[in-house]
Amino acid sequence: MKKIVAAAVVAGLMGSGAAFAADTPAQTLAQSKGCLACHAIDKKVVGPAYKEVAAKYKGDKTAEAKLAEKVQKGGAGVWGQMPMPPQSVTPAEAKTLVAWVLGMK
């Protein structure tokens, strides 16, 4: 019985990875840079859900530049006390990631 339960748990975990299947080059980049370790598309993990970020900055013409800088330099205080450390991405990668996040609905 324990083996059946363990197999079901493993299958469930493998299935949950499908939510992060690489659908776009930007999502592939997010996976390769480890972004999805702390963020998810539609739910809070350690950091906010990407859809929440997109909703918060909708209509903000300066959001892409501000957020790309935060991705590279890190930041804290906007989404709570947990800081986001600086990420090892190029300016172009940061811009690609932020554009992808801001494009979510």
Side-chain angles (χ1 to χ4, degrees):
M1 183 64 163
K2 289 181 182 179
K3 289 182 181 180
I4 293 172
V5 171
V9 168
V10 170
L13 290 173
M14 290 173 64
S16 69
F20 296 118
D23 295 330
T24 67
Q27 191 165 355
T28 300
L29 179 62
Q31 287 176 318
S32 73
K33 294 296 183 175
C35 304
L36 298 176
C38 294
H39 297 276
I41 292 172
D42 58 359
K43 65 182 177 190
K44 178 179 177 19
V45 181
V46 174
Y50 286 147
K51 287 185 177 184
E52 287 181 88
V53 175
K56 180 178 183 96
Y57 291 98
K58 184 177 182 177
D60 182 343
K61 303 289 186 209
T62 65
E64 188 173 306
K66 284 190 295 192
L67 294 177
E69 183 174 350
K70 281 190 176 193
V71 168
Q72 289 188 280
K73 295 182 178 179
V78 176
W79 297 95
Q81 295 305 309
M82 179 64 73
M84 183 177 87
Q87 303 301 304
S88 181
V89 296
T90 67
E93 289 170 334
K95 185 175 179 180
T96 297
L97 291 166
V98 168
W100 173 64
V101 169
L102 293 176
M104 294 189 183
K105 294 183 180 17

